[in-house]
Amino acid sequence: MSLRLLILVLPLVSLILSACEEKVSDYKSTVYVFGTLVEFIIRDADPALAEKTVTKIDQDFQRMHKDWHAWKPGGELQALNVALSEGRVFEVSDFTLPLIRDAIRYEQLSNGLFNPAIGKVIDAWGFHADEMPTGRLPDFDEIKALAAKQPSMSDLNFAGHLVSSPNKAVSLDFGGFAKGVALDHAVKVLKDAGITNAIVNAGGDLNTLGSHGDRPWRVAIKHPVKWGVIAGLDLGDDENLYTSGNYQRFREHEGVRYAHIIDPRTGMPVDHIVSASVIHENGGLADAAATALTVAGPEGWYEVAKSFGVDLVLLVDAEGTIHMTPKMAKRVSFPDDKKPTIVVSDPL
Ligand code: AMP
Ligand code: MG
């Protein structure tokens, strides 16, 4: 991670949790994985147990990072991607198979807007790199030709753990929901260790367990355009908050921004400004849904939310208007000086 990014991320993490009063009994630890800092706050636990448990989770995270990495050699997903692009059959491990099954389901639920099989398109845009790409843009005709091959999770054939694809354009990229799966796993390990109150925060995407003492965990949703927060809310036990936005990572060329979130129908970056937040007990699903809602945008979010069955959704559009489900509207509060325009509608 570059120093600049570190300097940006550190205050952000503390800002997100700024509402959480510090107690001496809080155990805090930060690990670096998936290109971001993951902060653990664990309450009411023996510090030695908390430390041991975070160390175990960090080891699991590092394995996920290696084996679920879309393009770095040495891991399982990258090896699978090479096999698929060469038309070969690949034997997938028990560790990765459930993730592939989830990816198939999320693509179906999103009606193809969330498509973890478009790794080649994401790569063609230069986003398979640790740093943001600069310089010449890719050839748009080549991008469109790649998208026209319609890579899809539904191309995959299974014989037990053996996976193949007749469509060589399929390349798996789980960047849109792997963090959610990882944080779900982290909370499971904390629970198994007997820990009852914790929050695991990966740069604003977070899972909770229990409460913050005698009140719920209080968190904030980042403003999509400006520095700071747009709304605050309390999260109950096992509620997880995921936010996706096409402003988060992008490349810039001649004043135009090209976002890291791609519309699979065209292969082009999502160009409406939008930030989508979802609360759900399944962090992987919330993460996938937030990315799908970002692709759908202010016009199409309704259908996607309905299909995913998510009833706690908040979307911010380019004008700063907030679109919310009724349940979310009851939960959020806004800074007094910044009352936004709000549209509430119920997709369910
Ligand atoms: P997130 O920050 O959770 O919205 O995930 C963004 C990441 O998901 C990108 O960096 C890509 O790796 C991947 N991605 C981009 N577009 C899509 C899409 N339409 N469907 C699924 N994954 C995508
Ligand atoms: Mg996501």
Side-chain angles (χ1 to χ4, degrees), residues 281-299:
E281 62 185 15
N282 181 332
L285 183 143
D287 196 355
T291 306
L293 290 161
T294 300
V295 179
E299 303 298 321

Side-chain angles (χ1 to χ4, degrees), residues 249-306:
R249 280 186 92 217
F250 52 81
R251 62 184 295 170
E252 215 156 6
H253 187 72
E254 293 175 352
V256 182
R257 285 180 172 190
Y258 298 88
H260 71 133
I261 297 179
I262 308 289
D263 188 330
R265 296 166 294 193
T266 58
M268 298 300 284
V270 166
D271 61 1
H272 43 242
I273 292 181
V274 67
S275 145
S277 302
V278 176
I279 297 172
H280 197 269
E281 62 185 15
N282 181 332
L285 183 143
D287 196 355
T291 306
L293 290 161
T294 300
V295 179
E299 303 298 321
W301 75 272
Y302 205 74
E303 284 307 312
V304 173
K306 192 171 168 178

Side-chain angles (χ1 to χ4, degrees), residues 113-115 118 122 173 175-176 244 248 260-262 264 287 291 295:
L113 297 187
F114 184 78
N115 183 342
I118 58 167
I122 294 166
D173 180 323
S244 181
Q248 285 176 340
H260 71 133
I261 297 179
I262 308 289
D287 196 355
T291 306
V295 179

Side-chain angles (χ1 to χ4, degrees), residues 58-303:
D58 189 27
Q59 284 164 358
D60 295 345
F61 277 174
Q62 300 307 331
R63 179 172 178 202
M64 292 171 182
H65 183 67
K66 177 172 154 286
D67 276 332
W68 298 347
H69 205 288
W71 50 272
K72 274 193 185 156
E76 186 177 359
L77 200 64
Q78 191 269 347
L80 168 63
N81 282 335
V82 172
L84 295 177
S85 69
E86 293 172 355
R88 282 189 285 115
V89 177
F90 188 90
E91 185 168 1
V92 173
S93 70
D94 283 332
F95 186 66
T96 301
L97 194 58
L99 211 68
I100 298 178
R101 298 269 182 220
D102 283 350
I104 293 169
R105 188 165 139 248
Y106 297 147
E107 185 186 329
Q108 284 167 352
L109 287 176
S110 71
N111 204 12
L113 297 187
F114 184 78
N115 183 342
I118 58 167
K120 281 189 197 291
V121 181
I122 294 166
D123 186 29
W125 277 103
F127 291 119
H128 280 173
D130 285 331
E131 300 293 331
M132 276 299 95
T134 51
R136 273 169 61 95
L137 288 175
D139 182 331
F140 288 3
D141 288 336
E142 278 173 27
I143 297 273
K144 282 177 185 152
L146 260 179
K149 292 182 180 166
Q150 301 188 331
S152 163
M153 295 304 298
S154 64
D155 286 318
L156 296 182
N157 294 323
F158 294 86
H161 284 59
L162 298 178
V163 180
S164 60
S165 168
N167 185 350
K168 291 185 186 171
V170 169
S171 184
L172 309 187
D173 180 323
F174 294 158
F177 77 110
K179 202 199 280 176
V181 175
L183 298 198
D184 286 344
H185 173 76
V187 165
K188 184 179 175 304
V189 176
L190 291 171
K191 272 187 195 166
D192 290 349
I195 289 164
T196 47
N197 297 307
I199 192 161
V200 189
N201 180 1
D205 287 334
L206 48 90
N207 278 38
T208 70
L209 173 62
S211 61
H212 184 274
D214 53 5
R215 63 166 174 76
W217 289 105
R218 190 164 301 152
V219 299
I221 296 175
K222 284 178 274 184
H223 197 292
V225 192
K226 289 180 273 184
W227 178 254
V229 302
I230 195 154
L233 74 157
D234 288 343
L235 290 182
D237 187 17
D238 261 341
E239 278 194 331
N240 313 310
L241 170 70
Y242 284 78
T243 298
S244 181
N246 65 339
Y247 57 89
Q248 285 176 340
R249 280 186 92 217
F250 52 81
R251 62 184 295 170
E252 215 156 6
H253 187 72
E254 293 175 352
V256 182
R257 285 180 172 190
Y258 298 88
H260 71 133
I261 297 179
I262 308 289
D263 188 330
R265 296 166 294 193
T266 58
M268 298 300 284
V270 166
D271 61 1
H272 43 242
I273 292 181
V274 67
S275 145
S277 302
V278 176
I279 297 172
H280 197 269
E281 62 185 15
N282 181 332
L285 183 143
D287 196 355
T291 306
L293 290 161
T294 300
V295 179
E299 303 298 321
W301 75 272
Y302 205 74
E303 284 307 312

